[in-house]
Amino acid sequence: MKILVIGSGGREHAIAWKVAQNSTVEKVYCAPGNGGTFFEDKCENIPLTNLNELISFAKDNHVELTIVGPEEPLTKGFVDEFRKNGLAIFGPSKEAAKLEGSKIYSKDFMKKYGVKTAEYASFDQIKPALEYIKNCCYPVVVKADGLAAGKGVVICENAADAESTLKDFMINDIFAGSGKKVVIEEFLDGVEASILSITDGNTIIPFISSKDHKQIYDENKGPNTGGMGAIAPNPYCTNDVLESFDRDILQPTLKGIKGENLDYIGIIFFGVMITKKGVYLLEYNVRLGDPETQAVLPIMESDLVELIQSALKKDLSNFKLTWKKQSSCCIVAASGGYPASYAKGYEISCEKMNSGKVFVAGAVEKDSKLVTSGGRVLCVQSLGDTAEEAKKKAYDNLKKVSFKDMYFRKDIGTIYEFNR
Ligand code: AMP
Ligand code: GLY
């Protein structure tokens, strides 16, 4: 079997690595892939990102399954176009991908189907938005409606902050259209959890829970990043939390997918906030999380190709998804300066590790070596029988990796309960 994985991050390296473990898979094409997939068994990078070229490639090379990693191709309708061409592809349709692509669409969906979420109002004109923030409780959260590369959410401490954020989004148009419409939302304080899940439109199966660490510095300080490390399971996802999640978030979401007749065979990722007053949904993503995937897939006992095929046959209700009885931790090594500006092109040295895995994100192959090419360069992962052991082993493995100006958080796996 030949598989095509679209994307170039650490998440896509982890997906390619996991599907390559299926014995019927002979080749995993990664488009465009990265330095990690370049060196991965069975994998071959192909330098394509354009939709029509990818469709031609899949046809010419008898690709039997395409997996889309990032949200952008999903919101652009790659899945619909592949299907029109008779190609099997795993991911939501363009319409269903609006659950991530438009905050207003997703908040309205949550409200319509009774998914527990923060109070909100949405605006497509600045005047009523400026009026609204005069009477808000602070802090308040301002969100760009469209995709904004993870930068479209601002927590505003007071009306002056909110006003300047709204002006940046709606008038100065800093997100090139994506912030012309906004959601203004109640601030929720608590601990976040990432619950990646798979759906075939009739069933949603949640994966093991996980936890991202979004800020650049220890103790959750400094600006947000794409994610500086992850652990799975998330120690805050107790049985009580998971029961509330199932009742107040997952089941109403499934009802909504059916009620809206969404063509959704893919990943649905619930970004939740566990608060003192209950478990709330912050957002949907329609793809796997990065770096959560690099922590979660190594503890998945089941075969990912079989899982995806079962979803494509709309037979998920009969799939027994199983997990190793272990914990996983992955730590991101980033270029010094990230998430602001940073240098690229440094050679990466990596000693052999006895266990665990290095997933590559922002690094490319050059003259048979890995060199840095992005902000989040790689992610070192390890399993352990306990969360502490997984964390210790991941940090031990990280000592074997180095490049100039390498930066990482020292506290991945430590949870700071409430921010305020
Ligand atoms: P989102 O893209 O909606 O997940 O927002 C990105 C990040 O902003 C989340 O991971 C949270 O850390 C934070 N955030 C979003 N909405 C809220 C909220 N209502 N209250 C507190 N923090 C939030
Ligand atoms: N790690 C969060 C995300 O992938 O959106």
Side-chain angles (χ1 to χ4, degrees):
M1 179 178 195
K2 291 177 182 167
I3 293 183
L4 171 63
V5 176
I6 297 177
S8 63
R11 163 184 53 208
E12 286 76 24
H13 183 189
I15 295 170
W17 165 82
K18 180 74 178 161
V19 296
Q21 289 168 24
N22 177 299
S23 60
T24 68
V25 172
E26 68 182 271
K27 179 76 112 184
V28 184
Y29 295 109
C30 302
N34 62 31
T37 51
F38 180 90
F39 288 110
E40 195 66 52
D41 277 358
K42 298 190 191 174
C43 293
E44 181 179 332
N45 287 352
I46 55 161
L48 301 179
T49 50
N50 170 282
L51 171 62
N52 291 327
E53 287 174 358
L54 286 166
I55 288 174
S56 301
F57 179 89
K59 283 184 178 167
D60 294 347
N61 292 278
H62 310 288
V63 167
E64 281 160 74
L65 169 64
T66 297
I67 303 170
V68 187
E71 60 277 19
E72 207 182 291
L74 294 168
T75 56
K76 286 185 173 157
F78 275 37
V79 166
D80 313 56
E81 296 306 315
F82 266 67
R83 292 230 181 98
K84 276 185 209 155
N85 283 274
L87 294 163
I89 184 163
F90 177 66
S93 62
K94 184 176 182 177
E95 175 72 12
K98 278 162 59 186
L99 285 175
E100 175 165 1
S102 165
K103 298 268 188 221
I104 297 177
Y105 177 87
S106 71
K107 291 293 289 190
D108 290 348
F109 174 98
M110 293 176 211
K111 190 171 170 188
K112 181 169 173 187
Y113 290 97
V115 177
K116 187 159 171 165
T117 190
E119 293 296 328
Y120 74 105
S122 54
F123 300 93
D124 57 7
Q125 300 291 324
I126 183 102
K127 256 192 163 173
L130 290 175
E131 251 338 282
Y132 182 83
I133 57 164
K134 285 185 188 157
N135 300 310
C136 279
C137 289
Y138 285 88
V140 84
V141 187
V142 176
K143 299 186 172 187
D145 177 54
L147 294 182
K151 299 196 170 66
V153 175
V154 180
I155 295 169
C156 302
E157 297 295 337
N158 50 48
D161 270 5
E163 182 177 333
S164 70
T165 303
L166 286 172
K167 285 183 175 160
D168 277 348
F169 282 21
M170 301 181 86
I171 298 174
N172 303 334
D173 196 17
I174 57 168
F175 298 126
S178 281
K180 286 276 192 191
K181 295 187 221 166
V182 296
V183 167
I184 304 180
E185 182 174 290
E186 170 197 11
F187 174 83
L188 297 171
D189 197 8
V191 176
E192 281 179 67
S194 300
I195 307 189
L196 318 179
S197 314
I198 184 167
T199 185
D200 58 7
N202 294 321
T203 302
I204 300 176
I205 306 183
F207 290 1
I208 199 155
S209 61
S210 57
K211 170 103 186 70
D212 190 5
H213 298 64
K214 286 208 164 90
Q215 287 92 350
I216 185 77
Y217 302 129
D218 289 5
E219 297 179 22
N220 295 336
K221 301 218 165 95
N224 267 349
T225 68
M228 294 302 292
I231 51 167
N234 182 326
Y236 275 79
C237 288
T238 57
N239 285 341
D240 280 355
V241 164
L242 291 174
E243 262 173 39
S244 307
F245 164 74
D246 183 66
R247 183 189 59 234
D248 299 335
I249 298 174
L250 189 151
Q251 296 303 337
T253 299
L254 185 58
K255 206 167 133 206
I257 289 174
K258 291 178 184 168
E260 298 297 305
N261 235 336
L262 295 180
D263 179 1
Y264 203 148
I265 301 179
I267 295 296
I268 181 157
F269 158 179
F270 300 87
V272 308
M273 185 72 95
I274 304 162
T275 77
K276 286 181 178 153
K277 48 181 193 164
V279 183
Y280 288 75
L281 182 65
L282 290 182
E283 63 163 355
Y284 295 112
N285 293 308
V286 296
R287 37 85 193 168
L288 290 169
D290 189 335
E292 291 93 328
T293 303
Q294 295 93 303
V296 165
L297 289 185
I299 13 179
M300 185 184 278
E301 198 168 50
S302 302
D303 183 276
L304 182 58
V305 178
E306 287 172 9
L307 176 65
I308 289 174
Q309 281 173 329
S310 152
L312 288 167
K313 281 190 235 136
K314 287 188 168 278
D315 193 29
L316 271 187
S317 60
N318 290 315
F319 195 92
K320 288 276 161 290
L321 179 57
T322 57
W323 299 91
K324 295 176 186 161
K325 302 273 171 294
Q326 284 185 298
S327 289
S328 181
C329 176
C330 73
I331 304 154
V332 169
S335 298
Y338 172 78
S341 63
Y342 52 84
K344 299 178 188 176
Y346 296 138
E347 193 176 314
I348 300 170
S349 85
C350 189
E351 289 170 43
K352 197 169 164 17
M353 295 172 190
N354 296 328
S355 64
K357 176 75 190 165
V358 176
F359 293 112
V360 173
V364 290
E365 178 271 343
K366 198 175 167 202
D367 303 329
S368 300
K369 300 207 166 95
L370 270 181
V371 297
T372 66
S373 65
R376 291 190 297 168
V377 174
L378 49 84
C379 172
V380 178
Q381 179 276 341
S382 196
L383 294 177
D385 290 337
T386 61
E388 269 313 303
E389 192 192 33
K391 182 178 162 178
K392 182 175 180 315
K393 282 179 157 176
Y395 274 104
D396 285 346
N397 280 345
L398 193 65
K399 290 187 193 134
K400 299 184 175 163
V401 174
S402 66
F403 54 88
K404 189 169 183 286
D405 297 336
M406 177 170 123
Y407 170 80
F408 58 91
R409 272 180 67 160
K410 315 281 184 300
D411 66 343
I412 300 303
T414 305
I415 291 190
Y416 304 98
E417 196 158 336
F418 290 97
N419 298 315
R420 5 181 133 220

